[in-house]
Amino acid sequence: MIPTSNPELVVLAIETSCDDTAAAVLRGRKVLSQAVSSELQGSEFGGIVPELASRAHQRNVLPVVKKVLTAAPRPPGLIAATQGPGLVGSLLVGLNIAKGLALAWNTPWIGVHHIEAHILACLLVDPSPDFPFAALVVSGGHTLLAVARSVGDYEVVGETLDDAAGECFDKVARLLNVEPVPGSLMAGPVIDRLAQRGDPSKVVFPRPMRSSGDFHFSFSGLKTSVMNYLGKHPESLRPERLPDVCAGFQESIVDVLTEKSVAACERYGLDQLVVTGGVAANSRLRHRMAEAVRDGRIKVFFPPKALCTDNAVMIGWTGALHHSLGRRSEYTAPPRPSWPLGRAKFI
């Protein structure tokens, strides 16, 4: 049974788990306003630098919050902020702003589990799943399979042993000299676009842990396989060959994600599967998942692509659901840079 948040509750949400500073205001399921500030503070280093990300949040968080508040009544009835997991310095910025505003307005606030918010984003749109369901969270920082039984109650049944799928996409993109998406450090979406012009059967890479008998993942070896292949076949970096390499690499990840997700549904007797996180926007993953469940035994749900990547809307929505269950956070609640989803129960 999905709890129903107060349709008139106005929520200010703040998301600062990584490098993007995001805020949103919601009334029930309706998004009144949202804004995000992205800075390529780690572009010259080939990735995110935690200290630079924290400084960027300090510069951006108040302007972003002020921007979304122009479209909302004040004070809001609830403030929700990402409490973890994420970069500790980044989390501190968002949490301190949320606590300060809550104190100034005498408004309750809630610290939100970022991964839980990804899972519950599917409940923002229709049709949506009902508990219990399986959830595949696949992004740049996380890849895991969980059984979602209710808001705050999750059992992680499989996770990556090394690189997350999205991390592997971005590392391989650098090996392929693929430029990131403009305004972002992520190059995974570019591989997706190139792969649409390629043939995945031309260059076949291993399917890591495909037959492991469990629901864990490992993608660091796949990156090494791509590197070794390029060392033997440098001509594959030519523009006319690159789409085939991208398609073969992408197919390897998509096959493993799809097969293990469907197998987890069957093992745990679940007929609903949520696929969420940044990589859930990948067109091939969406296509393969739809193919794998076309017999109707399992129904798959994807959030809208705008809700797949990190965003404040999902933070506000998750906070509202917890609030509807009578939960709130204390001002002493700390950031939780490492916060296992299995312990997402409100504490």
Side-chain angles (χ1 to χ4, degrees):
M1 181 70 177
I2 304 295
T4 303
S5 65
N6 181 350
E8 298 304 316
L9 178 69
V10 175
V11 183
L12 167 64
I14 301 170
E15 150 61 16
T16 61
S17 63
C18 194
D19 58 331
D20 288 346
T21 308
V25 175
L26 294 79
R27 180 186 283 118
R29 288 188 177 192
K30 183 177 181 181
V31 180
L32 301 181
S33 60
Q34 59 178 317
V36 61
S37 178
S38 301
E39 291 191 17
L40 298 182
Q41 63 275 95
S43 56
E44 65 268 39
F45 303 106
I48 296 167
V49 180
E51 177 63 24
L52 295 180
S54 177
R55 292 179 188 177
H57 287 307
Q58 293 176 49
R59 288 192 300 271
N60 298 329
V61 67
L62 282 178
V64 169
V65 168
K66 287 180 180 179
K67 184 175 181 180
V68 300
L69 284 175
T70 59
R74 296 190 206 182
L78 177 70
I79 299 173
T82 306
Q83 190 176 354
L87 303 175
V88 64
S90 297
L91 292 169
L92 272 169
V93 175
L95 286 178
N96 286 340
I97 292 295
K99 292 176 183 179
L101 292 175
L103 184 63
W105 288 332
N106 192 27
T107 299
W109 84 279
I110 283 185
V112 172
H113 193 292
H114 182 84
I115 303 305
E116 179 182 23
H118 272 301
I119 293 172
L120 298 183
C122 267
L123 306 184
L124 268 168
V125 294
D126 292 320
S128 61
D130 198 1
F131 289 117
F133 56 81
L136 171 68
V137 182
V138 55
S139 66
H142 306 275
T143 299
L144 61 84
L145 269 167
V147 177
R149 295 191 174 92
S150 65
V151 172
D153 186 1
Y154 309 93
E155 178 188 357
V156 176
V157 299
E159 56 194 327
T160 183
L161 304 180
D162 38 61
D163 291 352
E167 181 183 2
C168 187
F169 265 102
D170 289 336
K171 287 180 176 179
V172 167
R174 287 197 285 274
L175 292 176
L176 299 176
N177 296 321
V178 172
E179 291 294 325
V181 174
S184 170
L185 293 175
M186 298 186 300
V190 182
I191 288 183
D192 185 11
R193 289 200 292 270
L194 286 168
Q196 291 176 34
R197 297 192 281 111
D199 182 348
S201 66
K202 292 286 184 66
V203 183
V204 178
F205 292 106
R207 270 56 172 168
M209 295 189 72
R210 185 183 208 172
S211 303
S212 62
D214 55 32
F215 304 116
H216 295 306
F217 305 94
S218 173
F219 296 110
S220 63
L222 176 58
K223 175 199 66 182
T224 303
S225 294
V226 175
M227 182 171 62
N228 291 339
Y229 178 84
L230 294 175
K232 295 177 181 177
H233 306 279
E235 71 280 1
S236 295
L237 292 174
R238 295 174 186 167
E240 67 274 14
R241 299 283 300 275
L242 195 57
D244 291 337
V245 178
C246 289
F249 160 72
Q250 178 175 266
E251 199 74 2
S252 174
I253 289 184
V254 167
D255 276 353
V256 174
L257 293 175
T258 301
E259 291 174 14
K260 293 212 170 199
S261 298
V262 172
C265 287
E266 294 171 345
R267 172 81 61 86
Y268 291 92
L270 301 169
D271 59 3
Q272 300 170 103
L273 170 65
V274 164
V275 183
T276 187
V279 180
N282 181 276
S283 63
R284 185 59 181 166
L285 179 60
R286 289 181 173 236
H287 177 76
R288 287 281 285 108
M289 283 287 185
E291 281 188 331
V293 300
R294 62 184 174 185
D295 61 6
R297 291 181 297 115
I298 300 170
K299 189 171 184 180
V300 65
F301 300 85
F302 288 90
K305 290 185 178 182
L307 294 179
C308 288
T309 54
D310 293 350
N311 64 89
V313 172
M314 68 182 190
I315 301 300
W317 171 245
T318 301
L321 290 176
H322 278 283
H323 182 269
S324 72
L325 297 172
R327 299 165 181 167
R328 60 188 295 170
S329 294
E330 301 294 334
Y331 289 110
T332 54
R336 298 180 179 223
S338 298
W339 191 3
L341 180 64
R343 297 179 188 171
K345 286 187 173 68
F346 206 81
I347 300 172

